[in-house]
Amino acid sequence: MTKLIIQIPCYNEEESLGVTLAALPRQLVGVDIIEWLIINDGSQDRTVEVAKEYGVDHIVNFPTNQGLAKAFMAGLEASLKAGADIIVNTDADNQYCADDIPYLIQPIIWDQAEIVVGERPIWQTKHFSRSKKLLQKLGSWVVRIASNTNIPDAPSGFRAFSREAAIQLNVFNAYTYTLETIIQAGQKGMAITSVPIRTNNVLRPSRLVRSTPTYVLRSLFTILRIFLLYKPLRFFLMLGSIPFSFGVISGIRWLFFFFSGYEKTRVPTLILATILILVGFQLWLLGLIADLMAANRRIMEEIQVRMRKQDFQKKEEFHNE
């Protein structure tokens, strides 16, 4: 039997949650059981009461606001514990068209992908400014480079995960999970794809993108941080090559003047060349140390995945008995 759980992170969503839940399906072709789960991220309004009125099956409660990334991960954990084979994540503001969920989960049902991201019609979305559309495309391009994937709409929160993919994911960033999970999937070799989806009319302004420049800077920081986690040696080799190259060029320049018989000793040039070469070597050494730490982290992640699988397997055996 295939079980689908649709999870929704919520923070003060009293006004929009009912509209979102009313559009969610309870039956789909290829799925035997559909359940709904909300993550109440410290809401101070009637979010939980609305969820109960609409028959939500599972509610995860945070006493205080923890942020979207932690709410997302708590939802994945709760969905796995509830026996989900497929997990769909959507937003509480009804931004994404629930009728497209069958298309979203289809690649997972057909074993074509482990993660599926909904691609919004960015250029046709009227409430997106031109600058935001350009930044969305630019950000998605950067994520594609960092992750070696081909996801055209990286910030989209409308996505589906197989059970195996959900078990392997870890989100370190406290701001958002969207970019980090794609980069993780690419670096871990998960099969990830995207499908075109539709969007609904805006019910409220985005709480994640309060300021476009701030969102861009935080997104770039997230990409950089994940790149450091998964490709530290490559990053520090590239970074160290910059001062090292300038140092070598300065050193060659000094040698040229020295052997050409110029009277000036040009000691400052020699000192600068030495400093730049040493800085480059130090950055390379940092890369080697970081790479060793990354190898240790990968081992720890493999142990974590095995422990999660054993835990969920024991719970399934207990329920079957």
Side-chain angles (χ1 to χ4, degrees):
M1 294 181 66
T2 302
K3 186 175 186 177
L4 165 67
I5 293 185
I6 304 171
Q7 70 169 42
I8 309 174
C10 298
Y11 178 59
N12 293 333
E13 303 289 0
E14 175 187 351
E15 295 182 2
S16 60
L17 183 59
V19 179
T20 303
L21 292 172
L24 295 183
R26 279 294 189 182
Q27 291 182 340
L28 286 175
V29 176
V31 177
D32 300 296
I33 301 172
I34 298 178
E35 293 178 354
W36 302 344
L37 179 148
I38 72 157
I39 306 96
N40 174 37
D41 191 15
S43 299
Q44 298 175 347
D45 61 359
R46 295 185 64 256
T47 294
V48 174
E49 286 78 3
V50 171
K52 290 179 179 178
E53 289 171 5
Y54 279 84
V56 167
D57 303 277
H58 309 278
I59 298 176
V60 178
N61 276 305
F62 285 167
T64 57
N65 183 250
Q66 300 293 309
L68 180 59
K70 287 190 176 181
F72 167 78
M73 283 304 299
L76 285 190
E77 193 77 20
S79 296
L80 289 169
K81 288 179 179 178
D85 298 295
I86 304 172
I87 302 168
V88 166
N89 185 87
T90 189
D91 287 354
D93 60 359
N94 198 42
Q95 174 186 172
Y96 307 108
C97 181
D99 291 338
D100 289 336
I101 289 178
Y103 306 113
L104 196 69
I105 65 174
Q106 193 173 72
I108 296 176
I109 293 175
W110 289 357
D111 293 325
Q112 295 175 338
E114 296 174 271
I115 300 176
V116 185
V117 180
E119 179 191 353
R120 295 167 293 181
I122 299 295
W123 294 109
Q124 288 74 41
T125 305
K126 295 180 180 179
H127 65 275
F128 281 4
S129 64
R130 184 171 180 79
S131 61
K132 186 175 180 179
K133 292 176 182 178
L134 290 171
L135 288 170
Q136 292 273 24
K137 290 294 182 182
L138 177 62
S140 297
W141 176 78
V142 173
V143 171
R144 289 200 295 274
I145 297 298
S147 62
N148 294 322
T149 62
N150 188 27
I151 304 302
D153 187 10
S156 171
F158 193 43
R159 49 185 67 188
F161 304 87
S162 69
R163 182 181 182 83
E164 186 67 25
I167 288 174
Q168 295 184 59
L169 289 176
N170 285 295
V171 176
F172 302 100
N173 178 53
Y175 181 56
T176 181
Y177 62 90
T178 55
L179 308 182
E180 185 170 352
T181 48
I182 293 174
I183 295 174
Q184 272 192 40
Q187 299 297 343
K188 291 183 177 182
M190 296 185 197
I192 180 170
T193 188
S194 67
V195 296
I197 53 108
R198 295 164 291 175
T199 55
N200 299 316
N201 294 327
V202 180
L203 295 181
R204 61 162 175 77
S206 173
R207 291 173 182 158
L208 191 66
V209 190
R210 295 180 180 179
S211 166
T212 300
T214 302
Y215 177 74
V216 170
L217 287 174
R218 297 187 76 166
S219 297
L220 288 174
F221 178 76
T222 298
I223 295 168
L224 177 63
R225 186 164 181 255
I226 299 304
F227 196 69
L228 279 170
L229 279 170
Y230 287 91
K231 294 288 183 181
L233 183 59
R234 181 180 174 185
F235 176 81
F236 282 106
L237 281 176
M238 292 169 59
L239 189 64
S241 296
I242 298 172
F244 183 82
S245 300
F246 280 111
V248 169
I249 292 170
S250 297
I252 293 172
R253 182 173 178 270
W254 181 86
L255 288 172
F256 171 78
F257 286 116
F258 179 79
F259 287 109
S260 297
Y262 280 80
E263 294 181 359
K264 290 184 178 181
T265 57
R266 300 181 182 272
V267 174
T269 301
L270 180 60
I271 294 173
L272 177 62
T274 304
I275 291 173
L276 289 173
I277 290 172
L278 286 173
V279 169
F281 269 118
Q282 287 178 337
L283 288 171
W284 290 347
L285 287 173
L286 279 175
L288 288 172
I289 295 169
D291 190 57
L292 291 172
M293 294 175 66
N296 184 63
R297 177 189 50 75
R298 285 193 292 270
I299 293 171
M300 296 296 292
E301 284 187 345
E302 288 177 7
I303 293 171
Q304 182 190 50
V305 168
R306 290 180 183 179
M307 290 178 66
R308 281 178 174 175
K309 287 181 177 179
Q310 289 176 359
D311 185 38
F312 297 135
Q313 187 177 1
K314 287 178 182 178
K315 286 180 179 178
E316 285 180 354
E317 290 174 355
F318 175 77
H319 288 302
N320 290 333
E321 290 177 359

